[in-house]
Amino acid sequence: MSARKLLQLRPSLHHLHLHHHHLHLHAQSSVGIIGAPFCKGQPRGGVERGPDLIRAAGLLSRLQEQGCAVKDYGNLTFEDVADTEQQGVLKNAQAVGSANKRLSEAVQGVKKDGHTSVMLGGDHSLAIGSIHGHSAAVGDLSVVWVDAHADINTPLTTTTGNMHGQPVSYLLHELHSKIPALPSFSWVKPCVSAKDLIYIGLRDVDPGEHYILKLLGVKVFSMSEVDKLGVSRVMEETCDYLSARGNKPLHLSYDIDAIDPSLTPATGTPVVGGLSYREGVYITEQLSQTGLLSAVDLVEVNPLRGQTEREVQSTVSTAVDLVLGCFGRLREGNHPADYRLPEP
């Protein structure tokens, strides 16, 4: 057998091995939940209600039922920071900088306590603090960013000034020279390499963002790729890419708008043609089985954007299932390692 064939076989053997030990792996999952009720990275109120709604839908008890130890750190409180000085077109830059500094410290605390961090947002500008804090605690990271949008505009390419469209640009080493000095972000040190970033689900990308992604050679599975390859091939390539980059601790940043708005309409910037429920959950199942998942963001659930209670419910319950998929929930079913059939 050729070396290449062996290499092709090896990841699948690796996956089988992990799959076999999967229940054992997740029996020890320890999850630290942080609520980040913050909305100023974008213009629509309501997204600050996301953390409490996701909890109210039973996230904690359902994680415990599938064998996770769970510690809820509650919701962060954010100072009411007014923008005293306009920073170009950027909106609420001081509030966003201040909230993310607070979140970075909180995530560092969760990681030092030995948990996998789960940050419930809030808007996606919060990924700055979440990823920064994660990296400050564990070192180099891989980041899988599941989103309809690339969120990699710089303060100089953004057309809207909304900060939730920019978080990746603050975090990448390669874009450091393109970010103007902003007082409210002086604490942010870039902590991710472009080669350690993978996007899944993109379908609404600005010209400046498209240029940046091509320039930096970022690994991107747009919805066109998901359609062409199928989600199983996308995840196989993703896991192989992570493995080839050294199996670093993995940060999953999941925007609920990655999922098609027919299923998750209660979000600020819905884009048609997104991931199906099955594709969205499969992504989490596969990343869970790598054994590398070290932090998760679940952001942009906004109940005020749902037209009906049912639309809000559908969005929130999908968000819960995505988090459960990160911690070993399998649609084929699970059983505890010590399960035995009762004798008659």
Side-chain angles (χ1 to χ4, degrees):
M1 191 182 282
S2 72
R4 183 170 176 176
K5 267 270 182 282
L6 267 172
L7 276 172
Q8 285 172 332
L9 263 176
R10 209 167 55 194
S12 48
L13 287 172
H14 176 62
H15 291 163
L16 276 174
H17 173 70
L18 281 171
H19 185 80
H20 178 67
H21 289 294
H22 158 272
L23 283 167
H24 173 65
L25 231 165
H26 289 288
Q28 295 139 341
S29 278
S30 172
V31 183
I33 294 174
I34 301 174
F38 181 79
C39 64
K40 290 186 176 174
Q42 48 82 66
R44 299 169 187 88
V47 73
E48 71 282 356
R49 298 189 193 178
D52 287 343
L53 274 175
I54 294 168
R55 285 192 187 92
L59 176 64
L60 279 72
S61 58
R62 291 183 64 194
L63 280 168
Q64 286 162 340
E65 280 162 22
Q66 63 186 44
C68 297
V70 183
K71 177 167 183 185
D72 190 348
Y73 287 76
N75 287 348
L76 295 176
T77 48
F78 300 111
E79 293 164 39
D80 204 8
V81 179
D83 262 25
T84 49
E85 49 197 86
Q86 190 55 36
Q87 302 183 358
V89 296
L90 300 185
K91 295 172 181 157
N92 302 322
Q94 281 164 274
V96 172
S98 162
N100 274 292
K101 188 168 194 285
R102 174 92 188 76
L103 177 58
S104 173
E105 289 158 2
V107 170
Q108 287 177 61
V110 172
K111 291 309 299 174
K112 290 202 169 81
D113 290 346
H115 308 295
T116 301
S117 167
V118 173
M119 184 275 284
L120 305 175
D123 71 60
H124 217 162
S125 70
L126 292 161
I128 299 170
S130 184
I131 293 174
H132 180 276
H134 186 192
S135 174
V138 306
D140 289 345
L141 302 174
S142 296
V143 175
V144 174
W145 194 279
V146 185
D147 201 328
H149 310 89
D151 295 351
I152 198 169
N153 271 307
T154 72
L156 303 176
T157 65
T158 177
T159 53
T160 64
N162 296 330
M163 302 295 289
H164 74 161
Q166 303 170 46
V168 182
S169 73
Y170 293 83
L171 296 163
L172 286 185
H173 293 296
E174 291 84 351
L175 287 178
H176 188 49
S177 64
K178 305 294 182 195
I179 307 294
L182 301 167
S184 45
F185 287 91
S186 58
W187 59 274
V188 179
K189 303 284 176 282
C191 54
V192 179
S193 297
K195 290 280 183 278
D196 290 321
L197 172 64
I198 303 173
Y199 282 100
I200 303 173
L202 297 189
R203 56 193 185 276
D204 182 11
V205 179
D206 295 338
E209 295 182 300
H210 188 256
Y211 177 81
I212 290 167
L213 293 173
K214 294 290 182 200
L215 179 72
L216 302 183
V218 175
K219 186 84 165 160
V220 174
F221 295 101
S222 70
M223 282 311 298
S224 302
E225 263 87 26
V226 176
D227 287 341
K228 183 170 131 191
L229 301 172
V231 73
S232 64
R233 176 77 188 278
V234 165
M235 292 316 295
E236 199 178 306
E237 290 192 16
T238 295
C239 292
D240 288 351
Y241 188 86
L242 294 171
S243 177
R245 297 286 303 153
N247 284 337
K248 299 178 178 76
L250 177 57
H251 191 110
L252 170 61
S253 203
Y254 213 127
D255 188 321
I256 200 71
D257 75 23
I259 307 288
D260 192 77
S262 59
L263 189 67
T264 57
T267 190
T269 46
V271 187
V272 296
L275 297 164
S276 68
Y277 174 88
R278 285 157 52 189
E279 289 167 334
V281 169
Y282 187 80
I283 290 167
T284 66
E285 289 173 346
Q286 293 300 301
L287 293 178
S288 169
Q289 288 183 37
T290 64
L292 301 172
L293 206 52
S294 176
V296 178
D297 309 325
L298 198 291
V299 298
E300 298 283 0
V301 171
N302 187 337
L304 298 188
R305 306 306 293 174
Q307 301 303 306
T308 62
E309 185 52 42
R310 190 170 179 179
E311 287 194 357
V312 175
Q313 208 47 52
S314 173
T315 307
V316 172
S317 68
T318 303
V320 170
D321 286 354
L322 293 173
V323 178
L324 295 177
C326 292
F327 296 99
R329 172 179 173 264
L330 286 172
R331 287 168 288 166
E332 69 204 41
N334 303 66
H335 69 263
D338 57 359
Y339 187 89
R340 297 289 176 270
L341 284 178
E343 299 293 335

